[in-house]
Amino acid sequence: MKSSELIQIFLPFSVCLIMFGIGLSLDFSNFKKVFEKPKAFAIGLVLQNILLPLLATLIALSGLPDSNTLALGLIVLGLCPGGSTSNIFTYIFKGDVALSICLTCISSLLSPLTIPFLFNFLSKNIFNSGQNYALDITKTSLILVGFTIIPVIIGIFVKKGSPHFSKSLEKVMSKISILFLTIIILGIFKQNSDNIFSFIKASGPSILTLNFAAILISYLISKSMKMGNDQTLTIGLEVGIQNGALALFITNSILQSWEMSIIPGSYGILMYLSGTAYGLFIRKGEK
């Protein structure tokens, strides 16, 4: 089977798995706990849905991405919510897991509306791409609902029907999701193996700038708002680690641009480095 065929099979499936896993991890007691002290949630939601797209747009306009297509790939990445990876990193570094899950869930529920509207606005009005890269709002929203919201709902019902089974399944799902995302990224780079180094060179600076700027600003704002270390860590990870599989699904399957897919593809590798560095920075700082 060709790598392109593997991508077309694994990519939608991996998005569904990730969102299903979020549904399995969702406990409505999490929302109660978070909303008893909503300050951290409000900060995280604003940073995730306003700061991050704004940062992505500014970096895309800065000239760091050396083509309009790569710039638009960065925009897609900036519009995507956090994914299960941010929840995993939060758990590993002993952050506020309930806060992380709530932020991921709410941002994911908003994404079928925010992504197509904001992408089309920026693509047409800021980057002058015309109809070359435009999302059909109704079609895209329905696709994203099908691949994001419905799996979350199914996950919630599975957890409600069989809590013990869902707890075991949740751990397996996170590992499978990471495996599938790795296969997709390797498949994209294999497809374009002749240009892999030039792609990373072209996309790396803009991805790293977005990633570290998002984490740094989140850290500074959280500290200025007197958030504890657990909440500061969680907000930084949630804003800094995006749902790379969803970004790949939009660029590769919906927009059908292999060049645009290089951004989330490269990001899928680099986000592990930044997430680990940030987690160690917060926890080492405590000692």
Side-chain angles (χ1 to χ4, degrees):
M1 186 179 287
K2 294 179 180 178
S3 57
S4 58
E5 294 172 344
L6 280 171
I7 293 167
Q8 293 303 323
I9 292 171
F10 277 106
L11 189 46
F13 193 46
S14 65
V15 171
C16 288
L17 282 178
I18 289 169
M19 303 313 295
F20 177 64
I22 290 171
L24 288 176
S25 66
L26 193 59
D27 189 330
F28 288 105
S29 64
N30 292 338
F31 285 95
K32 183 179 177 182
K33 179 183 174 183
V34 168
F35 288 137
E36 284 174 355
K37 296 180 179 179
K39 186 177 176 181
F41 177 77
I43 292 169
L45 201 63
V46 169
L47 292 176
Q48 172 76 59
N49 293 283
I50 297 176
L51 172 71
L52 191 61
L54 181 60
L55 275 177
T57 303
L58 291 174
I59 293 167
L61 289 169
S62 71
L64 271 178
D66 64 359
S67 76
N68 228 31
T69 309
L70 288 176
L72 289 172
L74 195 70
I75 295 295
V76 171
L77 184 63
L79 291 174
C80 283
S84 58
T85 307
S86 62
N87 304 150
I88 293 167
F89 268 83
T90 300
Y91 174 78
I92 290 171
F93 288 105
K94 296 179 171 57
D96 190 331
V97 177
L99 174 61
S100 177
I101 291 170
C102 288
L103 285 170
T104 296
C105 183
I106 296 299
S107 295
S108 297
L109 292 174
L110 292 172
S111 63
L113 295 175
T114 57
I115 291 174
F117 277 103
L118 290 175
F119 178 81
N120 280 358
F121 174 80
L122 293 169
S123 175
K124 292 175 184 177
N125 297 293
I126 306 297
F127 295 93
N128 301 315
S129 66
Q131 293 300 316
N132 293 331
Y133 294 112
L135 293 170
D136 181 308
I137 291 177
T138 303
K139 181 180 177 182
T140 304
S141 296
L142 289 173
I143 290 172
L144 291 179
V145 165
F147 282 93
T148 59
I149 308 301
I150 290 176
V152 169
I153 293 171
I154 293 171
I156 291 170
F157 277 109
V158 169
K159 181 170 185 173
K160 188 176 181 180
S162 181
H164 295 294
F165 171 70
S166 65
K167 192 170 184 179
S168 302
L169 185 60
E170 182 188 341
K171 295 177 182 178
V172 175
M173 295 301 295
S174 62
K175 293 176 182 177
I176 293 174
S177 299
I178 291 172
L179 175 63
F180 277 18
L181 183 57
T182 303
I183 291 170
I184 293 160
I185 292 167
L186 291 174
I188 288 172
F189 284 125
K190 185 181 177 182
Q191 266 187 299
N192 305 282
S193 57
D194 294 340
N195 301 306
I196 185 170
F197 292 110
S198 61
F199 287 152
I200 293 175
K201 184 180 178 181
S203 61
S206 57
I207 293 169
L208 290 173
T209 302
L210 174 64
N211 205 211
F212 282 103
I215 290 174
L216 177 61
I217 294 172
S218 298
Y219 171 80
L220 294 173
I221 290 176
S222 297
K223 283 300 183 184
S224 71
M225 299 297 286
K226 303 188 184 305
M227 294 287 99
N229 274 355
D230 289 354
Q231 286 72 39
T232 298
L233 170 70
T234 302
I235 291 169
L237 289 173
E238 198 65 30
V239 178
I241 297 181
Q242 305 317 111
N243 190 336
L246 181 59
L248 274 170
F249 178 65
I250 293 167
T251 56
N252 192 82
S253 299
I254 299 178
L255 290 167
Q256 297 186 340
S257 170
W258 62 265
E259 186 181 356
M260 204 182 289
S261 299
I262 295 302
I263 289 283
S266 301
Y267 175 80
I269 298 168
L270 297 172
M271 69 179 180
Y272 293 105
L273 301 176
S274 58
T276 301
Y278 183 61
L280 290 173
F281 168 74
I282 295 291
R283 291 312 179 203
K284 293 291 183 182
E286 289 178 336
K287 296 179 182 179

